[in-house]
């Protein structure tokens, strides 16, 4: 009887981001992706969010390696953190590894790993894992679906994908190979991208964006054009450059990651921009506006990005105005809508003409919609199905979609971060839970707890009141204070009376406790101060700032 195969979902099932799954064969662990998530607006001061690595750290000696399906940070951005504690080889397409290595190199951790490039349709053993890398189309080139041939049958992980029949580089999702595996050995378990599972129809082909861009470039003849898109979206960059060059412009990149990725992709032969058409941003100032196309970072409205600085008229490279057109060749990912609106507002205020996906087809999604997901189901006919890569509603929508194709509900399992599942001779079962909370990163410290975040939220929304009082250790009389200092509750110069009253209320409470009741224990006195101040503040202002009592003995 073949040994069971266990899968542990560490991230990406319940949110778009921090994708990470661990597959176990013969007691060894293979990671499929290790990504990060960008924080929501309510995660104050948080730079990024990682999967909870507790379970992996407990099993660190068993980690054989990681397969990175494609070059997006929600699939590889966690490596630069995990490699501090673990050391393992990383497998992926050459471009994926090139993009993933940036952060690892920044963290000084390149010597903790070996980057091993794999080719389209290559089949390779990674320890006990027999992996096959199948080309898929997505919004970054050279992504893979991964077929893992295990003692319990073939597990197919789609990675992020769409079925683009006319991709920019002609490299199609290899449905032939997937179909052959399904026909010959069968797919025991399918793990498939759910991002667009509640979107009807088909995702538009990436090449349709090229035609829209060309029309826009023609319509904006004589004007300077600034475009923004994801720096890893090499095919979008290619189409922007093609449209620019075809209409008599030169191209300049703006933003560090755009510059880096354009260089990387040109070196690898994946991006074709003639040398004489690619200028440094320093050198475009002398050219007539109608001869220039800038390709910038910041399409998600990221606050310090090149585009955000231009929108705030703070860019040292470009001053935008009524003679400029900005094309946002992107769509805000959930959570970024407000930042993007702010950037658009800033640009419009400067008199800039702004084109975005809200009123023009200047973007195409990289994720399969319902008809494509159905196509995958019909070709693969998996025995078991677990939707991955999505918020909870996306995964449920994906499960239902599969059921409309005849997939029995009892063979469809909606899982969440932290779930472990077991594939054995009788089928797929749930096998337990591992820690799966958000690991918040602020600066270089990878462990900002929920308590810290709760405090930040209270401080941001309600402010803080610090009450300082010194008592005589023997008599219990108040020696100095109470002193009341606040930030964010009331503005002190205008609220002196309120602060005076607060002082009096606290002084009375401390007197009552110390002198009348003989209380001397500092902790209980601090509670007394917090309670008295808190009640007063709430009664008089209906607010609940953080109350920090400081009681000292002299
Ligand atoms: Zn992706
Ligand atoms: Zn993704």
């Amino acid at each position: 009887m073949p040994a069971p195969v266990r899968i542990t979902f560490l991230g990406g099932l319940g949110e778009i981001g921090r994708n990470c799954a661990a597959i176990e064969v013969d007691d060894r662990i293979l990671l499929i992706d290790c990504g990060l998530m960008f924080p929501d607006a309510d995660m104050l001061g948080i730079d990024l969010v990682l999967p909870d690595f507790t379970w992996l750290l407990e099993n660190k000696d068993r980690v054989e390696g990681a397969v990175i399906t494609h070059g997006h940070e929600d699939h590889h951005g966690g490596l630069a953190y995990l490699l501090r504690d673990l050391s393992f080889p990383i497998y992926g397409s050459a471009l994926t590894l090139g993009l993933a290595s940036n952060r690892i190199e920044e963290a000084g951790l390149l010597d903790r790993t070996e980057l091993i490039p794999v080719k389209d349709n290559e089949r390779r053993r990674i320890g006990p894992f027999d992996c096959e890398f199948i080309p898929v189309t997505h919004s970054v080139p050279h992504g893979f679906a991964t077929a893992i041939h295990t003692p319990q049958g073939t597990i197919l992980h789609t990675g992020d994908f769409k079925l683009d029949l006319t991709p920019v580089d002609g490299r199609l999702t290899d449905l032939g190979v997937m179909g052959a595996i399904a026909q010959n050995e069968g797919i025991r378990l399918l793990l498939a991208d759910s991002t667009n599972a509640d979107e009807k129809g088909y995702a538009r082909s990436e090449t349709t964006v090229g035609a829209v861009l060309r029309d826009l470039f023609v319509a904006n003849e004589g004007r300077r054009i600034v475009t923004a898109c994801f720096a890893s979206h090499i095919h979008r960059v290619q189409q922007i450059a093609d449209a620019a060059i075809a209409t008599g412009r030169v191209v300049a990149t703006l933003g560090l990651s755009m510059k880096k990725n354009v260089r990387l992709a040109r070196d690898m032969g994946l991006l074709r921009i003639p040398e004489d058409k690619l200028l440094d941003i320093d050198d475009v100032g002398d050219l007539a506006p109608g001869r220039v196309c800038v390709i910038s970072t910041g399409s998600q409205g990221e606050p310090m990005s090149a585009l955000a600085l231009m929108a705030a008229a703070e860019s040292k490279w470009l001053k935008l105005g009524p003679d400029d057109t900005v094309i946002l060749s992107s769509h805000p990912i959930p959570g970024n809508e407000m930042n993007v609106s702010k950037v658009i507002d800033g640009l419009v205020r400067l008199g800039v003409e702004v084109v975005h996906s809200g009123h023009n087809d200047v973007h195409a999604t990289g994720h399969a919609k319902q008809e494509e997901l159905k196509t995958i189901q019909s070709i693969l006919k998996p025995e078991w199905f677990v939707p991955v890569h999505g918020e909870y509603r996306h995964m449920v929508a994906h499960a239902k979609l599969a059921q409309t194709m005849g997939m029995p509900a009892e063979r469809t399992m909606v899982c969440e971060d932290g779930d472990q599942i077991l594939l054995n001779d009788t089928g797929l079962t749930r096998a337990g839970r591992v820690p799966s909370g958000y690991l918040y990163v602020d600066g270089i410290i990878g462990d900002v707890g929920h308590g810290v975040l709760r405090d930040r939220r209270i401080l941001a929304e309600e402010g803080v009141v610090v009450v300082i009082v010194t008592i005589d250790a023997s008599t219990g009389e108040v020696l100095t204070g109470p002193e009341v200092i606040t930030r964010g509750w009331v503005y002190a110069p205008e609220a002196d009376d309120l602060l005076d009253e607060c002082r009096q209320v606290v002084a009375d409470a401390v007197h009552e406790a110390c002198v009348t009741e003989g209380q001397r224990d500092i902790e209980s006195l601090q509670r007394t101060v917090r309670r008295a101040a808190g009640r007063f503040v709430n009664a008089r202002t209906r607010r609940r700032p953080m109350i920090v009592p400081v009681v000292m003995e002299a």
Side-chain angles (χ1 to χ4, degrees), residues 463-467 529-531 533-534 537 545-549:
V464 58
V465 176
V466 183
V467 185
V529 170
R530 179 187 289 123
R531 205 174 301 134
V537 165
M546 180 182 294
I547 310 278
V548 183

Side-chain angles (χ1 to χ4, degrees), residues 70 72 74-75 138 160 367:
H70 64 285
H72 282 153
D74 60 320
H75 296 260
H138 183 44
D160 291 9
H367 297 274

